[in-house]
């Protein structure tokens, strides 16, 4: 009788342990699933901060609830900071656009008066000084113009006029326009553009501006070589601009799209540090990508649309 009681107690303890183990197993499995779902939701929220979503607990747990409360509070503060930054950025762009607009008219008038001055009445030294003033005034005009373009193109209210554009033809025409400047730099130019029309959806004027800014960069940085290629990859047009730039570091190549960033060698060549920023902004507004990388002694830009 005593042995039967001990045996029953043993079975009871084993059953209790089994139920306890099963409970903790199911709880751990439930919490693991909840953590996975919460992690996926957090990734989605992080990519869409403007959506004002919060994390919710898929399974009840006091410690997890406290954790999610903390995470949601952190998300709220991050969202507020993000919105405040976007608001300040838009205000800064509006201010730059307004200031640039106000400066363009008097600058144009100044340059006009400088152009019509009677140079014959000046001695050689004064004529040389006048040319310096004109050159500086035109650089300032270029800088103000690029300030205006950057503020306009990077604004949320700017929408490119997208249409079907033969990118091959536009690229050829832009290179022809720049050919005198390229040859003046004694560059060995290799053009490889596929035959026939290559149509893409883009803003024609914006795309031409991108090409111009890239070619301007080539004229500043290239040593002796320039290669331009146009291919199709997976239904998209891929254009590469490659030039030798032995004096440029990988760090410099990685910063070329930053606003106002210029390599030291370009400061004496009238660079504003905004041309490539504008090119990248316009490309992204048209749904494309523009990247730069140093490959050995070469600097390579890849434009994809």
């Amino acid at each position: 009788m005593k042995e039967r009681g001990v045996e029953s107690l043993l079975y009871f303890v084993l059953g209790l342990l089994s139920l306890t183990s099963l409970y903790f197993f199911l709880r751990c499995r439930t919490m693991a699933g909840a953590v996975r779902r919460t992690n996926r939701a957090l990734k989605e929220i992080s990519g869409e901060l403007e959506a004002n979503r919060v994390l919710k607990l898929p399974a009840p747990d006091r410690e997890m609830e406290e954790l999610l409360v903390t995470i949601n509070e952190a998300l709220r503060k991050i969202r507020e900071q993000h919105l405040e930054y976007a608001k300040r950025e838009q205000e800064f762009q509006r201010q730059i656009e307004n200031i640039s607009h106000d400066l363009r008219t008097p600058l144009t008038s100044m340059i006009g008066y400088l152009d019509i001055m009677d140079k014959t009445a000046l001695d050689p030294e004064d004529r040389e000084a006048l040319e310096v003033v004109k050159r500086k005034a035109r650089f300032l005009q270029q800088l103000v113009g690029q300030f205006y373009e950057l503020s306009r193109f990077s604004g949320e209210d700017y929408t490119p006029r997208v249409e079907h554009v033969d990118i091959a033809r536009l690229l050829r025409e832009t290179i022809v326009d720049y050919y005198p400047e390229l040859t003046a730099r004694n560059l060995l130019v290799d053009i490889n553009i596929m035959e026939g029309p290559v149509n893409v959806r883009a803003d024609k004027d914006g795309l031409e501006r991108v090409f111009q800014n890239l070619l301007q960069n080539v004229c500043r940085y290239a040593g002796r070589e320039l290669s331009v290629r146009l291919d199709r990859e997976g239904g998209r047009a891929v254009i590469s601009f490659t030039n030798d730039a032995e004096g440029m570091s990988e760090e410099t190549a990685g910063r070329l799209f930053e606003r106002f960033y210029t390599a030291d060698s370009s400061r004496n060549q009238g660079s504003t540090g905004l041309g490539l920023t504008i090119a990248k902004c316009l490309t992204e507004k048209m749904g494309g990508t523009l990247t730069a990388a140093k490959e050995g002694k070469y600097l390579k830009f890849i434009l994809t649309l």
Side-chain angles (χ1 to χ4, degrees), residues 28-42 58 64:
C28 289
R29 187 169 182 177
T30 300
M31 291 309 300
V35 169
R36 284 195 299 270
R37 290 192 292 274
T38 302
N39 184 48
R40 286 197 298 268
L42 182 58
M64 279 289 292

Side-chain angles (χ1 to χ4, degrees), residues 179-218:
Y179 211 78
E181 191 170 350
L182 296 172
T183 53
R185 290 292 307 271
N186 295 319
L187 293 178
L188 301 175
V189 182
D190 177 28
I191 309 297
N192 192 336
I193 300 175
M194 56 190 303
E195 295 294 331
V198 180
N199 292 316
V200 297
R201 294 279 295 170
D203 183 308
K204 183 177 180 180
D205 294 336
L207 188 54
E208 184 177 11
R209 187 57 191 269
V210 172
F211 292 157
Q212 290 172 348
N213 288 6
L214 288 171
L215 288 169
Q216 286 174 5
N217 187 77
V218 167

Side-chain angles (χ1 to χ4, degrees), residues 57-269:
L57 187 64
D61 183 84
R62 186 172 62 84
E63 289 79 7
M64 279 289 292
E65 286 177 356
E66 292 178 356
L67 174 61
L68 292 193
V69 167
T70 303
I71 293 175
N72 284 328
E73 179 63 17
L75 285 172
R76 183 186 66 79
K77 292 180 179 179
I78 292 172
R79 189 177 291 115
E80 289 178 354
Q81 292 176 354
H82 177 76
L83 293 175
E84 182 63 26
Y85 172 80
K87 182 179 178 181
R88 288 199 303 268
E89 183 71 10
Q90 289 177 6
E91 181 61 27
F92 172 74
Q93 289 173 352
R94 281 194 295 269
Q95 291 174 353
I96 291 296
E97 185 173 348
N98 292 336
I99 292 172
S100 301
H101 185 270
D102 292 340
L103 289 174
R104 291 169 76 185
T105 300
L107 264 174
T108 302
S109 298
M110 289 170 55
I111 293 173
Y113 280 115
L114 290 172
D115 286 336
I116 64 175
M117 285 184 66
D118 186 5
K119 302 178 181 62
T120 60
L122 301 176
D123 59 41
E125 186 175 344
D126 289 337
R127 283 200 296 270
E128 183 178 348
L130 177 62
E131 290 302 320
V132 172
V133 172
K134 288 171 62 176
R135 187 169 64 252
K136 296 296 183 182
R138 287 197 173 91
F139 174 73
L140 184 57
Q141 186 182 44
Q142 177 190 4
L143 179 60
V144 170
Q146 289 194 336
F147 268 128
Y148 179 78
E149 289 181 345
L150 179 62
S151 62
R152 186 166 69 91
F153 294 147
S154 60
E156 293 185 359
D157 56 344
Y158 172 74
T159 303
R161 295 175 297 178
V162 177
E163 58 183 334
H164 286 290
V165 178
D166 183 354
I167 196 172
R169 179 177 179 178
L170 183 61
L171 180 59
R172 291 189 191 96
E173 291 174 351
T174 309
I175 292 174
V176 169
D177 290 341
Y178 265 81
Y179 211 78
E181 191 170 350
L182 296 172
T183 53
R185 290 292 307 271
N186 295 319
L187 293 178
L188 301 175
V189 182
D190 177 28
I191 309 297
N192 192 336
I193 300 175
M194 56 190 303
E195 295 294 331
V198 180
N199 292 316
V200 297
R201 294 279 295 170
D203 183 308
K204 183 177 180 180
D205 294 336
L207 188 54
E208 184 177 11
R209 187 57 191 269
V210 172
F211 292 157
Q212 290 172 348
N213 288 6
L214 288 171
L215 288 169
Q216 286 174 5
N217 187 77
V218 167
C219 291
R220 292 192 183 103
Y221 288 108
R224 295 283 298 171
E225 304 172 49
L226 168 64
S227 172
V228 181
R229 294 184 58 89
L230 168 60
D231 298 294
R232 269 207 176 276
E233 295 180 9
R236 293 173 69 85
V238 179
I239 301 174
S240 63
F241 291 77
T242 307
N243 63 268
D244 54 331
E246 295 190 61
M248 181 178 293
S249 65
E250 292 184 6
E251 178 186 1
T252 297
R255 299 184 60 188
L256 288 174
F257 296 115
E258 294 180 16
R259 283 186 297 193
F260 310 115
Y261 181 79
T262 59
D264 290 339
S265 62
S266 69
R267 292 191 182 274
N268 297 324
Q269 302 181 46

